[in-house]
Amino acid sequence: MLSLDATVNKGEVLSVMGPSGSGKSTLLQAIAGHLATPFSMTGKILIDNQSIDDKPPHLRGIGIMFQDALLFEHMTVEQNIIFAMPKTKRYSVSKKRESVSNMLEAVGLEGMQNRAVTTLSGGQQARISLLRSLAAEPRAVLLDEPFSKLDTALRDQIRTWTLEQLRCRGIPALLVTHDSDDAVAAGGQTFELLPC
């Protein structure tokens, strides 16, 4: 049984480390609202002091970045990012496209709006994946070992950039990882799970 009691402030990252089978993925599923039988949880999950326990996943305001970018391969870079933008806000098409252009420029991918995502490198896909998560204007972000499939040099660069983006936007995040370097880079609290 996993027990975790922690507060993550705006712009902070809580790192959760542990071996396979220790409950890291189950923890993320509980927060995201995807916890399936036979698993269950007790306690409360709060964002801005409001419980999200009874909300369906799409109303929790949680962004997720996985090991794999999980981009929509039938869509362009721009379409992937626009897809995530809140449907409740009535942005014009030109405003959305301008926003995407600014986001891509900020991560060194200017001019790639119309590229097929299948033509991008692993590092480029990782950046697009995070931009898509941020475009959804999440209240919190879950990072599910998002740097583990990147080569060493790229891992450091993308990890640094990702953590900076979360900090400067004031988004609280939970990072699950096997890599102690990830936890050190995150700089916040670290919670280590024991094997079940």
Side-chain angles (χ1 to χ4, degrees):
M1 181 169 82
L2 168 65
S3 177
L4 177 64
D5 182 6
T7 299
V8 185
N9 295 314
K10 293 183 184 295
E12 289 183 350
V13 179
L14 168 65
S15 298
V16 176
M17 296 184 62
S20 296
S22 60
K24 299 187 305 296
S25 295
T26 304
L27 173 63
L28 294 184
Q29 290 167 2
I31 295 169
H34 298 292
L35 196 61
T37 307
F39 299 103
S40 63
M41 64 159 272
T42 57
K44 291 282 179 197
I45 301 168
L46 307 172
I47 299 181
D48 294 328
N49 293 318
Q50 297 176 339
S51 173
I52 62 169
D53 298 341
D54 59 348
K55 291 189 177 183
H58 69 283
L59 295 179
R60 291 188 175 205
I62 305 285
I64 305 175
M65 189 173 171
F66 296 100
Q67 291 178 26
D68 296 310
L70 299 180
L71 300 173
F72 299 117
E73 294 185 357
H74 65 288
M75 294 182 179
T76 64
V77 167
E78 181 179 75
Q79 290 167 337
N80 264 277
I81 297 171
I82 286 176
F83 180 83
M85 291 179 174
K87 308 302 183 256
T88 54
K89 296 191 176 179
R90 301 289 179 224
Y91 295 124
S92 67
V93 172
S94 62
K95 184 71 175 171
K96 289 179 180 179
R97 297 186 82 182
E98 179 184 347
S99 178
V100 170
S101 179
N102 291 338
M103 293 172 86
L104 291 172
E105 185 176 346
V107 299
L109 297 177
E110 57 276 354
M112 292 198 173
Q113 290 90 323
N114 297 316
R115 287 274 298 270
V117 295
T118 53
T119 67
L120 303 178
S121 70
Q124 290 169 331
Q125 287 187 5
R127 281 179 276 178
I128 298 303
S129 179
L130 183 64
L131 289 181
R132 187 175 64 180
S133 291
L134 296 176
E137 300 177 11
R139 298 166 66 196
V141 169
L142 303 176
L143 303 167
D144 187 3
E145 303 195 47
F147 318 117
S148 63
K149 290 194 174 179
L150 301 172
D151 65 57
T152 305
L154 191 57
R155 183 182 308 137
D156 293 343
Q157 176 189 346
I158 297 299
R159 178 175 54 212
T160 299
W161 178 81
T162 299
L163 297 172
E164 283 175 359
Q165 295 302 307
L166 295 170
R167 284 189 194 106
C168 69
R169 286 172 165 77
I171 300 172
L174 188 147
L175 166 69
V176 298
T177 182
H178 287 97
D179 188 344
S180 60
D181 289 343
D182 288 348
V184 170
Q189 310 168 64
T190 298
F191 187 85
E192 191 149 357
L193 302 179
L194 300 174
C196 294

